[in-house]
């Protein structure tokens, strides 16, 4: 009997807020029903805990926008808050090994409920981006990153002239929403998906003149 | 059957490397055409038809009196009008949750136990066959989900909220992959589920036989794996969140033609 009550809890969510509703549900009714449906529908599994349904300010604003643009002021404040989270490398070393970066870009695993805790995550980069010309199986949700460094004139990533691009790229990998409030890109550093060493390696993939990305 | 499938699966790998710039959709369409006369979903359809008519469960009765929305026992055309509101349960239900209701009230099974059973095991296998059979009875029919009841309207709006809800460590929502035209993950084309033709084609293809896993996947199973890949917590089988998403996609797909149970890579 108890199980039955639980199973129908969601139904109450739909019906409780609908009294006297003739045309369509109001925003408030949809808000309340959505919260109740979320509560009754999801459970923890493995490393995927329920706190994953708690939205921070940027996810909340971008979810509510439902694909539309945010107003400029809101977008700017979200971007500023995300930019403030970016941690530049303490030792000033931005680039690692592009070969390792390529492996991270290829690896789409990590943080699902079927992944084990403590395992190194991939970057899933090829799921959305063209990167190396040799890899033909790439997604198109994000822009092409082929020739990323070359197009931006980075001949020597250590030179002062390259500093702005190098820092921007680091920031983008650390927290993409620092530059685009509703970017579809995960916040790899901020969310702890990739560690600092992994981000260095992906940086090298994008910016090292010897990387296949820049050939 | 197994051999021919493996052979075709091997063939399918070739276009990816030899002519990757050719549209993936073209390759997949060719692949489907090759298998068209032998979609293994047919085996599930046949089994499902038998299960529908067979007296089963603690009460030892068949499902032939089950009301899928068009009256007791009416199967043809039911699939393209689901999810919908049901007066007896006072909730919006999709095909899987409605089958759970019938299995419980008519046959005496414990619906909560079946909902907790892992995909592909126990009575979940029964459900997979049943959805194959029931959806096939509406093949080539046009989606026309009702939106007249207030709860159906609310479910659509909740489904829309869930579709755009960004969460988890990757900040993904359903819309991250399925909110725009012409996008791919790796080489896999992604239907835009916010409108037709994407919504009709995408929603209208499940349940489907999944060649890569050799199993028949219900829409519930498809959504479960989407949420896994979004890095979300685990959605309950036949939960209101998954049903609301079904309403959102199905209503967006209105006018689209059902190809379920389709064949997927």
């Amino acid at each position: 009997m108890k199980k039955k009550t639980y199973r129908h809890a969601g139904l109450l969510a739909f019906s409780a807020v609908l009294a006297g509703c003739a045309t369509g549900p109001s925003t408030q009714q949809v808000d309340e029903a959505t919260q109740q449906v979320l509560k009754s529908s999801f459970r923890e599994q493995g490393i995927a805990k329920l706190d994953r349904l708690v939205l921070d300010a940027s996810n909340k604003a971008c979810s509510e926008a439902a694909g539309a643009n945010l107003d400029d002021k809101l977008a700017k404040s979200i971007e500023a808050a995300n930019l403030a989270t970016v941690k530049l490398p303490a030792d000033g070393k931005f680039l690692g090994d592009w070969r390792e970066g390529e492996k991270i870009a290829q690896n789409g695993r990590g943080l699902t409920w079927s992944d084990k805790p403590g395992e190194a995550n991939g970057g899933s980069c090829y799921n959305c981006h063209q990167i190396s010309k040799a890899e033909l199986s790439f997604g198109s949700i994000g822009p092409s990153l082929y020739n990323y460094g070359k197009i931006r004139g980075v001949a020597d990533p250590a030179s002062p002239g390259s500093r702005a691009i190098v820092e921007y790229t680091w920031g983008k990998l650390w927290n993409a929403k620092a530059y685009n409030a509703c970017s579809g890109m995960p916040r790899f550093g901020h969310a702890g998906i990739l560690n600092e060493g992994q981000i260095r390696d992906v940086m090298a993939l994008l910016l090292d003149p010897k990387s296949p990305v820049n050939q | 059957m197994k051999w021919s499938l493996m052979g075709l699966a091997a063939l399918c790998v070739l276009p990816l490397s030899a002519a990757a710039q050719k549209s993936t959709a073209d390759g997949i369409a060719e692949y489907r055409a090759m298998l068209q006369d032998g979609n293994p979903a047919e085996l599930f359809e046949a089994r499902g038809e038998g299960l529908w008519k067979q007296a089963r469960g603690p009460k030892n009765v068949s499902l032939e009196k089950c009301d899928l929305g068009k009256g007791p026992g009416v199967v043809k055309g039911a699939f393209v009008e689901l999810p919908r509101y049901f007066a007896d349960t006072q909730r919006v239900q999709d095909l899987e949750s409605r089958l759970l209701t019938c299995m419980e009230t008519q046959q005496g099974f414990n619906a909560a136990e079946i909902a907790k059973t892992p995909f592909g095991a126990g009575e979940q296998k029964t459900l997979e066959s049943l959805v194959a059979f029931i959806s096939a009875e509406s093949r080539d029919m046009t989606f026309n989900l009702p939106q007249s009841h207030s709860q159906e309207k609310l479910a659509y709006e909740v489904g829309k909220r869930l579709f755009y809800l960004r969460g988890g460590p990757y900040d993904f929502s359903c819309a991250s992959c399925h909110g725009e035209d012409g996008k791919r993950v790796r080489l896999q084309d992604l239907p835009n589920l916010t409108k037709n033709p994407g919504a009709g084609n995408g929603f209208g293809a499940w349940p489907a036989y999944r060649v890569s896993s050799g199993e028949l996947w219900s829409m519930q199973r498809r959504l479960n794996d989407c949420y896994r890949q979004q890095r979300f917590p685990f959605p309950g089988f036949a939960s209101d969140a998954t049903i609301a998403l079904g309403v959102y996609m199905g209503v967006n797909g209105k006018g689209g033609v059902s190809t379920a149970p389709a064949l997927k890579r």
Side-chain angles (χ1 to χ4, degrees):
Chain A
M1 199 62 221
K2 198 170 183 196
K3 269 171 200 151
K4 194 155 190 165
T5 311
Y6 177 72
R7 202 159 43 75
H8 287 286
L11 131 75
L12 294 175
F14 277 143
S15 55
V17 292
L18 272 170
C21 171
T23 51
S26 71
T27 305
Q28 196 197 338
Q29 285 170 330
V30 178
D31 286 345
E32 286 173 13
T34 302
Q35 288 313 312
Q36 290 176 49
V37 165
L38 281 170
K39 202 174 284 179
S40 69
S41 297
F42 289 88
R43 64 171 169 80
E44 297 188 348
Q45 173 90 356
I47 58 175
K49 308 296 185 196
L50 286 169
D51 62 5
R52 293 185 176 195
L53 296 175
V54 178
L55 313 189
D56 73 353
S58 40
N59 277 337
K60 189 166 184 293
C62 297
S63 300
E64 283 167 4
N69 292 330
L70 298 183
D71 76 64
D72 268 1
K73 215 178 137 196
L74 180 58
K76 288 275 181 291
S77 77
I78 287 173
E79 287 161 10
N82 279 294
L83 187 61
T85 74
V86 174
K87 286 189 199 127
L88 298 181
D91 59 0
K93 193 173 175 297
F94 284 89
L95 266 68
D97 180 348
W98 64 261
R99 290 170 197 84
E100 291 303 313
E102 169 67 13
K103 286 182 207 160
I104 293 163
Q106 288 284 1
N107 182 356
R109 302 188 72 85
L111 294 174
T112 72
W113 67 62
S114 53
D115 288 309
K116 292 185 184 68
E119 278 184 356
N121 303 313
S124 306
C125 311
Y126 280 106
N127 285 1
C128 299
H129 296 283
Q130 181 185 31
I131 309 176
S132 161
K133 212 176 179 183
E135 177 53 81
L136 297 173
S137 175
F138 59 83
S140 65
I141 293 174
S144 172
L145 302 176
Y146 178 60
N147 277 178
Y148 180 89
K150 197 176 178 181
I151 288 167
R152 288 162 180 80
V154 179
D156 174 11
S159 69
S162 300
R163 182 79 186 184
I165 294 294
V166 168
E167 276 191 14
Y168 162 77
T169 306
W170 183 275
K172 187 86 179 172
L173 287 168
W174 195 275
N175 187 338
K177 287 154 183 81
Y179 307 97
N180 174 5
C182 295
S183 168
M185 184 163 149
R187 296 175 279 191
F188 290 101
H190 179 63
I193 301 164
L194 299 178
N195 61 37
E196 199 174 278
Q198 289 178 305
I199 291 179
R200 271 196 194 97
D201 293 336
V202 176
M203 287 285 287
L205 180 68
L206 295 172
L207 292 165
D208 190 325
K210 291 188 291 294
S211 157
V213 168
N214 296 311
Q215 305 311 310
Chain B
M1 177 55 86
K2 204 155 200 174
W3 266 116
S4 65
L5 271 178
M6 285 172 72
L8 287 163
L11 275 176
C12 177
V13 175
L14 286 175
L16 296 185
S17 49
Q21 295 308 329
K22 182 174 98 171
S23 154
T24 317
D26 291 348
I28 291 170
E30 280 173 29
Y31 176 45
R32 290 216 182 96
M34 283 194 289
L35 281 171
Q36 202 170 27
D37 291 334
N39 182 347
E42 287 171 19
L43 303 174
F44 289 82
E45 289 170 32
R47 184 169 176 262
E49 185 171 9
L51 284 163
W52 179 260
K53 294 172 179 167
Q54 189 187 337
R56 299 178 70 249
K59 294 183 184 169
N60 199 35
V61 294
S62 78
L63 286 167
E64 288 169 296
K65 295 268 166 61
C66 177
D67 184 352
L68 297 171
K70 297 183 79 70
V74 181
V75 174
K76 197 170 181 62
F79 179 70
V80 290
E81 295 178 12
L82 287 169
R84 72 187 308 154
Y85 176 78
F86 287 87
D88 59 348
T89 56
Q90 293 186 293
R91 60 186 298 225
V92 175
Q93 295 185 284
D94 66 351
L95 178 53
E96 288 92 314
S97 56
R98 188 61 188 169
L99 282 169
L100 283 182
T101 297
C102 289
M103 288 171 81
E104 178 161 280
T105 58
Q106 298 182 16
Q107 296 183 309
F109 285 105
N110 183 329
E113 287 301 318
I114 298 172
K116 273 191 278 182
T117 305
F119 291 113
E123 289 297 328
Q124 282 285 346
K125 285 174 90 164
T126 306
L127 274 170
E128 286 168 356
S129 297
L130 287 170
V131 297
F133 161 60
I134 293 161
S135 61
E137 289 289 298
S138 294
R139 192 183 268 119
D140 298 327
M141 293 174 73
T142 304
F143 280 103
N144 188 25
L145 273 66
Q147 273 283 280
S148 51
H149 195 278
S150 57
Q151 288 209 44
E152 291 166 347
K153 289 179 191 155
L154 182 61
Y156 178 86
E157 294 302 329
V158 169
K160 185 177 180 183
R161 285 289 175 84
L162 297 174
F163 188 82
Y164 285 100
L165 187 104
R166 292 174 169 218
Y170 285 48
D171 306 323
F172 286 159
S173 69
C174 307
S176 300
C177 288
H178 295 288
E180 282 182 73
D181 292 341
K183 296 294 183 185
R184 300 186 329 216
V185 158
R186 288 283 186 164
L187 280 180
Q188 180 66 53
D189 288 317
L190 300 162
N192 179 352
L193 297 173
T194 67
K195 61 186 174 90
N196 277 328
N201 293 344
F203 178 78
W206 299 91
Y209 183 78
R210 192 87 194 248
V211 176
S212 53
S213 67
E215 293 167 306
L216 194 291
W217 278 30
S218 64
M219 176 57 88
Q220 282 287 330
R221 189 161 175 174
R222 172 66 272 188
L223 289 175
N224 182 277
D225 200 50
C226 280
Y227 269 129
R228 185 184 67 83
Q229 293 183 64
Q230 278 183 69
R231 277 81 183 174
F232 269 52
F234 195 93
F237 183 88
S239 60
D240 279 331
T242 54
I243 293 168
L245 278 172
V247 173
Y248 178 69
M249 295 186 289
V251 170
N252 289 346
K254 185 171 177 154
V257 171
S258 174
T259 55
L263 186 72
K264 294 285 186 182
R265 69 182 172 86

